[in-house]
Amino acid sequence: MFKDQADEDLMVLYQKGEVAAFEILLSRHRKPVFNFILRFIGDKETAEDLLQEAFMRVIKGAEAYKRQAKFTTWLYTIARNLCVDQTRRRKHRKHASLDAPIGADEESGTLLDVLPGNEMASDRKNVNKQLHETMHRAIAALSDDQREVFLMREFLDMPFKQIADVVGVPENTVKSRMRYALEKLRLELDEYKDLAKAAL
């Protein structure tokens, strides 16, 4: 019924008691928010908990939501704050092992299995695996400030202005953090350029 409505309109409808409007918001944003949290935190179980908490806060904070605020900015501010709090709580940061099962059972595959088709040559497959591992480690090694900006920009395709609103810093600071993040990732991945060319 409300499927074509903008997020902000759905939130206003939910404020008026339309539960179906919230269900559409949930189905629309559940996966990207989960992926953002997972990449930020690096642990599937914790990411699932934080996802639940983020949407619980949306429910609890619904009355305070103002129509002029972009819904995704509000939602990702909540998710980002939960991630920052979680990271602070951890004394020793741990990131998900790339060869740990994604699901509850061993059959569900690992993060490294999520690569293009099995028909590729083994040397190319090996380079892909190494590149994937290195990229994962490189993103995990970024500072929290740089990682959150990189994830919002690259994985969520957010404009710098919106990232600045979510993070609560000037837009130029966001651009600068993104630049440093890209420089660090480029350095980390540089050694794979020749390998990747050779394997193609």
Side-chain angles (χ1 to χ4, degrees):
M1 180 166 56
F2 306 122
K3 278 193 175 159
D4 297 329
Q5 302 264 23
D7 291 341
E8 294 74 22
D9 296 332
L10 289 169
M11 199 59 202
V12 170
L13 285 164
Y14 177 58
Q15 285 175 324
K16 293 174 181 170
E18 291 285 359
V19 177
F22 178 77
E23 285 167 2
I24 293 167
L25 285 169
L26 183 62
S27 66
R28 214 177 259 182
H29 297 288
R30 184 183 186 91
K31 194 174 177 186
V33 174
F34 174 73
N35 287 335
F36 168 71
I37 295 172
L38 179 60
R39 287 190 174 103
F40 196 113
I41 295 295
D43 176 72
K44 188 170 185 282
E45 208 173 294
T46 307
E48 282 168 356
D49 290 343
L50 293 181
L51 177 72
Q52 299 301 326
E53 180 60 28
F55 279 102
M56 282 305 295
R57 291 196 183 183
V58 168
I59 291 168
K60 287 176 188 166
E63 281 182 35
Y65 175 77
K66 299 279 189 286
R67 176 68 183 78
Q68 66 266 26
K70 194 167 167 59
F71 176 75
T72 49
T73 303
W74 184 55
L75 176 60
Y76 281 100
T77 302
I78 292 169
R80 179 248 175 196
N81 289 342
L82 287 168
C83 289
V84 169
D85 291 346
Q86 177 65 26
T87 306
R88 282 189 190 134
R89 277 198 296 272
R90 282 192 208 168
K91 287 183 182 154
H92 306 290
R93 275 182 33 208
K94 287 188 291 187
H95 293 281
S97 165
L98 286 164
D99 50 13
I102 289 174
D105 60 334
E106 297 295 320
E107 317 262 312
S108 58
T110 71
L111 286 171
L112 288 177
D113 296 330
V114 191
L115 287 169
N118 296 329
E119 68 283 350
M120 66 176 77
S122 60
D123 56 345
R124 185 171 165 201
K125 205 170 177 180
N126 193 38
V127 169
N128 254 345
K129 183 176 175 178
Q130 289 176 354
L131 184 61
H132 194 82
E133 278 179 337
T134 305
M135 184 70 174
H136 185 82
R137 273 199 306 273
I139 292 171
L142 292 171
S143 71
D144 290 344
D145 288 349
Q146 290 170 7
R147 187 166 66 253
E148 67 186 6
V149 168
F150 176 79
L151 294 176
M152 286 181 207
R153 182 71 179 166
E154 292 301 310
F155 291 98
L156 299 171
D157 209 22
M158 279 190 186
F160 285 120
K161 174 77 177 77
Q162 191 179 359
I163 297 171
D165 290 342
V166 170
V167 178
V169 296
E171 193 174 337
N172 282 342
T173 305
V174 167
K175 287 178 179 174
S176 153
R177 287 176 186 176
M178 183 66 182
R179 194 168 54 249
Y180 285 125
L182 289 173
E183 279 169 15
K184 281 186 186 172
L185 292 174
R186 209 171 282 128
L187 284 172
E188 288 286 334
L189 299 172
D190 216 32
E191 61 182 288
Y192 285 93
K193 273 201 302 207
D194 296 334
L195 273 172
K197 276 180 195 161
L200 288 173

